[in-house]
Amino acid sequence: MADPSTYRPRPGEIPTEPGVYRFRDAHGRVIYVGKAISLRSRLNSYFQDISALHPRTRTMVQTGASVEWTVVRNEVEALQLEYAWIKEYDPRFNVKYRDDKSYPYLAVTMGEEFPRAQVMRGDKKPGTRYFGPYAHAWAIRETLDQLLRVFPMRTCSKGVFNRAHQVGRPCLLGYIDKCAAPCVGWVSPEEHRAIAEDFSDFMAGNTGHFVKDLERRMQAASKELDFETAARLRDDIVALQRALEKSAVVLPDATDADIFALADDELEVAFQLFHVRGGRVRGQRGWVSEKGAEQLADIVEHLLLQVYGDESREGVPREVLVPVAPSGRANLEAWLSELRGARVEVRVPQRGDKRALLETVARNAQQSLARHKVARSGDLTARSQALQELQEVLDLDEAPLRIESFDISHVQGSDVVGSMVVFEDGLPRKSEYRRFIVRHGTGDDTAAMHEVLTRRFRHLVNAPAPTESDVRSGEQSDALSGDQPDATSGEQPIGQPVGPDGRPNRFAYPPNLVVVDGGLPQVNAAAAALSEIGVTDVSVIGLAKRLEEIWVPGQEFPVILPRTSEGLYLLQRVRDEAHRFANTFHRQRRSKSMTVSRLDGIPGLGPARQKALLRAFGSVRRMEAATVEELTEVSGIGPALAVLVHARLTGDQARVPGVNLATGEVVD
């Protein structure tokens, strides 16, 4: 742990204007981002007596090695810059008030010529309208199945759509009247877009006029004695009513609002969010996050900042109801209004239906926190126990908070690949996983492990340590030692800790522990690779599968942990994850290589000529035994191309001529 006084800014150096500040650790990694009305007042509060700080804040300032700041014009700009930096750097000590779960949405791709309704997860795309989120994808499909009867819009993928267009016959949904079949021209693009817009309006909460219009048309058909049409319209009305019944009416005045509630204790805080559109609950989300030293007002501010940071204009409602007024409410309202393009009000309801609904959401948050405590208490204890046990058994200076595991996968020396998985605080960090294509793969696992580890740790020793001025300005040298990044292997340069844009390079952070899959030979190869490039402060062990023993370089006998050991269980998870990741990559490489023909890559020999050769000879082996004259007899194969194919198949590269593909002339 560092002494905060070693990097405390000089008196009077910090400005008094509003701005955003960043703490960095010794490797140049951003560990905390914050904003302040007065930078001087806020930053000075971090460098007081550390015993008076909150435990999480105390750990942060002791982990840091430097602090930098950026002055902005007003608090709204500080709010926007803080969110942008938190999203960019993913700081370790910034509490994430938004869960990582990808909730499903009902999406309508209005940006396409023929809009499509589908279930979507992940990042939101421009030109697409989203409705939800929903707790389960099956709930979206149930609702969509009901509404397609009234709004028969496209739901098929691009491949199915193009195939139906080519054959001139729609899919089953077209025949059962749940798709207007624009693929075969049953409706024009304009008519289909009108259907999609009506569907979107209904999902947005404008439901009343659709039901009234269907009732009017049903009565008119009855008067005309067109009972078949009237019966169909009656069934459409029932379908709409069933879809509406799935979302309860909670606010009678057709309010559009998001209602937030939270329940907290000393360590964690649980959130619940109800999306109300048109007075009906259209979606619900809930998650639990760690709790820092912030007050509830600050928690609510950061919560709204992270929830609405990626939302489109349609995703921001007119009202945001919260249990506690956020700090800087006026700035938040200005920011949300700018996102929505219209006024947004953030307030605490005091009475009436909205207050009652907020209390209901709060009860959901309390129950969610209670369930989380029961489910996670054992997991948190087990992970802490596992890390502490590994520190004691392996005689490490500190607990292995970052563990990297490596594995090699191949089949009899072909398509040799390596994998690297990362566990931080006992949990997988999948964004840090890496894959390697072994360049000199001969089937020797120890040689392959030596190569992979050398490529992973090559620049750690040669990279200059970042100075305080380098970290503050984000400037550094562009010189890199060793070889350059391999674009085909998925390996990234590990180089200096901080890149030219101020962001840390990948591979910049050394692990506390390296785990290789195998026994003493693999461990010795790993230790030799690290020793050759000068890495001496990283511990290396191997976990053999036969008896699950732990091998340490330089020791004749392995370390045996009890089968019930939490430390052994963690090592097994790390080793198995590296094995799975390596095997997956190897299967991908092997499948790709099995579909490559020896005829591929020959200039002038496209798919049509390849098929002609295969029809004539039956196989590449017979083609290889054929003469140039026999190859020339195949339709489309000229003398120059026949010579080229024969030379490539027989391996006589000295006879491979140059061919002018425009004229077919053989060039010596």
Side-chain angles (χ1 to χ4, degrees):
M1 293 293 184
D3 183 0
S5 62
T6 59
Y7 64 93
R8 178 175 184 171
R10 292 185 296 271
E13 182 182 4
I14 309 176
T16 58
E17 289 85 2
V20 182
Y21 56 91
R22 294 179 289 186
F23 280 85
R24 293 183 183 267
D25 62 10
H27 301 290
R29 173 168 43 182
V30 176
I31 59 174
Y32 186 75
V33 174
K35 71 176 190 322
I37 299 175
S38 171
L39 285 169
R40 180 177 299 178
S41 299
R42 176 62 60 86
L43 288 177
N44 284 337
S45 68
Y46 289 104
F47 296 100
Q48 57 178 306
D49 182 10
I50 61 173
S51 62
L53 298 175
H54 185 276
R56 184 180 178 89
T57 307
R58 181 166 60 248
T59 304
M60 186 270 293
V61 296
Q62 290 178 329
T63 305
S66 64
V67 62
E68 58 190 51
W69 55 84
T70 299
V71 177
V72 296
R73 291 180 297 179
N74 52 55
E75 298 172 36
V76 176
E77 287 187 1
L79 192 73
Q80 295 172 331
L81 183 58
E82 180 193 30
Y83 168 73
W85 278 357
I86 290 176
K87 183 178 179 182
E88 179 180 2
Y89 294 107
D90 189 21
R92 172 183 172 187
F93 288 96
N94 278 95
V95 179
K96 307 299 185 300
Y97 295 118
R98 185 177 181 181
D99 63 339
D100 295 330
K101 180 179 179 182
S102 178
Y103 288 89
Y105 285 81
L106 174 56
V108 182
T109 57
M110 299 300 295
E112 298 182 8
E113 181 183 6
F114 297 99
R116 174 191 178 192
Q118 60 181 318
V119 178
M120 273 194 178
R121 297 178 184 265
D123 296 335
K124 295 185 176 180
K125 302 177 181 179
T128 300
R129 295 194 63 180
Y130 292 87
F131 305 97
Y134 290 77
H136 304 283
W138 57 260
I140 302 179
R141 295 187 178 95
E142 275 192 3
T143 303
L144 188 58
D145 185 66
Q146 293 285 344
L147 295 179
L148 286 179
R149 179 182 180 87
V150 185
F151 307 104
M153 64 176 301
R154 171 197 168 202
T155 58
C156 60
S157 65
K158 185 177 181 179
V160 174
F161 184 90
N162 292 337
R163 188 159 54 249
H165 177 70
Q166 291 174 354
V167 301
R169 186 173 62 251
C171 62
L172 177 62
L173 292 179
Y175 286 112
I176 63 175
D177 296 329
K178 286 193 173 182
C179 179
C183 53
V184 294
W186 286 4
V187 294
S188 65
E190 293 76 17
E191 292 171 335
H192 185 267
R193 180 167 293 275
I195 295 174
E197 290 175 350
D198 289 343
F199 175 83
S200 300
D201 288 343
F202 182 87
M203 291 301 303
N206 303 324
T207 59
H209 76 278
F210 288 105
V211 177
K212 292 179 181 178
D213 180 64
L214 289 177
E215 290 176 346
R216 179 184 56 78
R217 291 167 55 193
M218 180 184 67
Q219 294 172 359
S222 298
K223 291 180 181 179
E224 296 292 334
L225 303 181
D226 187 359
F227 299 114
E228 182 177 349
T229 301
R232 181 177 57 80
L233 293 172
R234 176 203 61 197
D235 294 340
D236 291 348
I237 295 172
V238 172
L240 291 184
Q241 290 173 343
R242 286 178 179 173
L244 292 173
E245 288 171 359
K246 293 182 181 295
S247 54
V249 177
V250 292
L251 296 175
D253 56 350
T255 301
D256 290 346
D258 284 348
I259 299 95
F260 293 86
L262 58 89
D264 67 315
D265 59 12
E266 295 80 5
L267 299 176
E268 296 177 306
V269 55
F271 301 98
Q272 283 288 319
L273 167 59
F274 279 23
H275 298 276
V276 178
R277 300 295 184 268
R280 297 176 179 269
V281 177
R282 294 293 185 182
Q284 175 186 1
R285 300 168 63 180
W287 60 93
V288 180
S289 299
E290 295 180 355
K291 184 180 178 184
E294 299 91 344
Q295 301 296 322
L296 289 182
D298 295 329
I299 290 177
V300 172
E301 177 185 350
H302 289 111
L303 171 66
L304 299 183
L305 188 67
Q306 295 186 36
V307 167
Y308 292 114
D310 294 328
E311 289 291 344
S312 61
R313 175 173 297 186
E314 294 82 2
V316 181
R318 289 193 295 265
E319 282 186 281
V320 177
L321 307 181
V322 293
V324 178
S327 56
R329 178 166 62 177
N331 298 325
L332 270 175
E333 289 181 338
W335 178 64
L336 291 173
S337 299
E338 182 181 346
L339 287 179
R340 187 174 186 268
R343 176 170 172 75
V344 176
E345 184 179 6
V346 180
R347 65 187 186 91
V348 181
Q350 301 296 328
R351 63 184 66 87
D353 295 331
K354 295 178 181 178
R355 180 66 187 181
L357 180 57
L358 179 63
E359 293 173 352
T360 300
V361 182
R363 286 195 296 271
N364 280 268
Q366 293 168 358
Q367 295 173 3
S368 175
L369 181 62
R371 290 194 303 269
H372 173 78
K373 286 295 182 184
V374 174
R376 292 288 289 173
S377 59
D379 182 45
L380 291 171
T381 303
R383 285 194 286 122
S384 301
Q385 180 181 347
L387 295 174
Q388 183 178 1
E389 184 176 350
L390 290 178
Q391 179 183 1
E392 295 174 355
V393 170
L394 301 176
D395 194 21
L396 303 177
D397 296 334
E398 57 183 358
L401 298 180
R402 181 181 173 103
I403 302 175
E404 294 182 2
S405 181
F406 296 83
D407 192 19
I408 303 298
S409 180
H410 62 89
V411 173
Q412 296 181 350
S414 65
D415 299 312
V416 184
V417 298
S419 70
M420 182 191 96
V421 301
V422 179
F423 275 57
E424 290 189 352
D425 297 330
L427 294 175
R429 178 95 171 182
K430 295 194 174 182
S431 62
E432 301 289 328
Y433 286 14
R434 296 293 180 267
R435 306 182 298 187
F436 300 84
I437 297 175
V438 177
R439 296 164 178 165
H440 307 292
T442 60
D444 185 351
D445 286 357
T446 57
M449 183 66 68
H450 186 282
E451 177 184 333
V452 168
L453 286 170
T454 301
R455 289 163 60 184
R456 190 282 178 238
F457 288 97
R458 179 185 303 116
H459 302 296
L460 280 180
V461 175
N462 297 330
T467 63
E468 183 177 351
S469 60
D470 289 337
V471 172
R472 177 168 299 178
S473 64
E475 297 176 355
Q476 69 172 84
S477 170
D478 292 332
L480 284 175
S481 60
D483 56 24
Q484 297 301 311
D486 182 1
T488 63
S489 67
E491 177 189 2
Q492 302 293 334
I494 57 180
Q496 297 85 350
V498 183
D501 58 353
R503 298 187 62 183
N505 285 332
R506 295 176 181 177
F507 282 176
Y509 313 123
N512 304 105
L513 180 66
V514 169
V515 180
V516 297
D517 182 17
L520 193 58
Q522 285 78 13
V523 173
N524 290 335
L530 268 62
S531 177
E532 289 176 7
I533 56 181
V535 176
T536 58
D537 56 348
V538 176
S539 301
V540 181
I541 64 170
L543 185 62
K545 292 181 181 178
R546 188 172 63 90
L547 298 176
E548 301 293 2
E549 64 266 25
I550 301 173
W551 290 93
V552 181
Q555 294 188 10
E556 184 178 357
F557 300 102
V559 177
I560 305 297
L561 291 179
R563 288 289 180 172
T564 57
S565 165
E566 291 294 340
L568 177 60
Y569 175 64
L570 175 58
L571 291 179
Q572 288 173 332
R573 286 185 57 206
V574 173
R575 187 267 319 277
D576 293 344
E577 178 70 357
H579 187 64
R580 178 201 65 80
F581 196 51
N583 286 346
T584 301
F585 186 39
H586 171 70
R587 282 195 296 267
Q588 294 174 357
R589 297 271 304 169
R590 190 175 71 243
S591 299
K592 184 177 180 180
S593 64
M594 292 175 64
T595 59
V596 176
S597 169
R598 293 174 61 190
L599 300 178
D600 293 336
I602 299 178
L605 191 65
R609 290 175 175 174
Q610 288 184 19
K611 291 180 181 178
L613 287 171
L614 290 173
R615 280 196 302 266
F617 294 96
S619 68
V620 177
R621 179 172 296 180
R622 292 183 179 178
M623 205 181 306
E624 181 180 346
T627 62
V628 174
E629 291 73 15
E630 292 173 339
L631 292 173
T632 310
E633 295 176 359
V634 178
S635 176
I637 306 298
L641 184 56
V643 172
L644 183 58
V645 170
H646 185 269
R648 289 291 179 88
L649 293 180
T650 58
D652 188 3
Q653 297 299 321
R655 293 186 55 199
V656 175
V659 180
N660 186 334
L661 298 181
T663 62
E665 179 185 1
V666 179
V667 181
D668 294 333

